[in-house]
Amino acid sequence: MDWVGVVVGVIPFVGVLLAVGFYTLLERKILAIIMIRKGPSKVSYMGILQPFSDAGKLLCKEFIVPTRANVGPFILAPALMLTISLLGWLLYPYKSAEVFYVFGVILFMVITSVSVYGVMMSGWASNSKYSLLGAVRAMAQSISYEIPMGFIFFCVVLCSGVFMFQEISVFQQSSFFFFFPLCVVMVVWMLCMLAETNRAPFDFVEGESELVSGYNVEYSGGGFAVMFIAEYSSILLSSVMSAAMFFGGNEALIGVFMMVFAVFFVVIRASLPRLRYDKLMSLCWTVLLCVMLMASVCVVVLVSV
């Protein structure tokens, strides 16, 4: 068995888990600054070890399975969500990697589509009305926003001529950022990513004012921690892909813009209130879809000329 290959394969996923922990710390610090209050500051120096404290607390708590829950799917759902979320990191646009996904764009769409199954399984298996409503909302929201997302990928692929994220990034390094001709497309992309990752102001899946906690209301301890990690891993992955698609170039540049997008997710959460659910669907089907149809036509015309 090639232990070196195993270690090299595992290290990126360990890095993702550590990044998720410190991203939660960054989020709490930024929210504290915006809301003019104290954030985590007691554990270690300036609260740097707070994520490890939170993880230890959650993992030491009892994992309670409700009496009427479907035990198998209930336990399997968090693991499924985390697995699908980490699979997306295989598409990270390394410049020097042994494995390249030629149709990486299509694989990214597949992974984002399949991710809703974990939410659906957890909501259904919990045997709770709140959980089920959260899961139904997640499915409708995900399916709706994947349609504009498909048009966004169509525009980017048409401009670059390839489906590989590495090639899309390299293409921009040798010519220009796709942000400049596709600035409207990037705005729609960020709205779609907010909806796909269930972040404010589109966090209806976890709407605590309506559904207590949504699809994860019956989860505690380690199960809740794993779902939490999966959600934040998806946010960081969305930030990386946003940077690679619209501000590609060398890896250092992608890293800088990834941090910009990651902070954007937090600032939006602190700034905007939650929409009404019908407004969310109306925004997708009547505004974003029409905008992306027009943008796709414009890109086709420009590329053909």
Side-chain angles (χ1 to χ4, degrees), residues 21-22 25 40 42-56:
F22 286 109
L25 178 65
K42 301 296 183 186
V43 182
S44 178
Y45 177 69
M46 293 177 65
I48 286 174
L49 296 181
Q50 185 70 47
F52 300 100
S53 173
D54 292 338

Side-chain angles (χ1 to χ4, degrees), residues 57-69:
K57 180 195 74 172
L58 282 170
L59 294 173
C60 289
K61 285 187 173 182
E62 183 182 0
F63 181 68
I64 300 170
V65 179
T67 309
R68 296 181 180 275

Side-chain angles (χ1 to χ4, degrees), residues 150-172:
F151 282 107
I152 292 165
F153 281 128
F154 172 77
C155 293
V156 172
V157 168
L158 207 61
C159 288
S160 61
V162 287
F163 283 89
M164 286 173 60
F165 281 109
Q166 284 90 347
E167 291 292 335
I168 292 171
S169 179
V170 169
F171 182 88
Q172 294 175 78

Side-chain angles (χ1 to χ4, degrees), residues 4-27:
V4 176
V6 172
V7 171
V8 171
V10 168
I11 284 175
F13 296 114
V14 175
V16 169
L17 297 179
L18 286 172
V20 166
F22 286 109
Y23 180 56
T24 60
L25 178 65
L26 174 69
E27 179 180 38

Side-chain angles (χ1 to χ4, degrees), residues 89 92-93 235-245 254 258 261:
W89 284 93
Y92 185 90
I235 293 168
L236 290 176
L237 178 63
S238 301
S239 302
V240 170
M241 293 309 170
S242 303
M245 283 170 58
I254 290 177
M258 175 216 167
F261 283 114

Side-chain angles (χ1 to χ4, degrees), residues 89-170:
W89 284 93
L90 295 173
L91 298 171
Y92 185 90
Y94 292 107
K95 292 295 185 299
S96 56
E98 294 182 4
V99 179
F100 291 97
Y101 293 92
V102 179
F103 294 99
V105 168
I106 295 175
L107 185 57
F108 181 77
M109 287 197 68
V110 169
I111 289 171
T112 53
S113 303
V114 172
S115 63
V116 77
Y117 283 100
V119 178
M120 180 186 71
M121 187 185 292
S122 64
W124 173 78
S126 297
N127 205 2
S128 161
K129 287 187 174 67
Y130 292 128
S131 299
L132 188 60
L133 277 171
V136 170
R137 283 182 171 191
M139 286 186 287
Q141 185 171 318
S142 181
I143 291 167
S144 298
Y145 277 82
E146 275 163 16
I147 298 170
M149 193 170 74
F151 282 107
I152 292 165
F153 281 128
F154 172 77
C155 293
V156 172
V157 168
L158 207 61
C159 288
S160 61
V162 287
F163 283 89
M164 286 173 60
F165 281 109
Q166 284 90 347
E167 291 292 335
I168 292 171
S169 179
V170 169

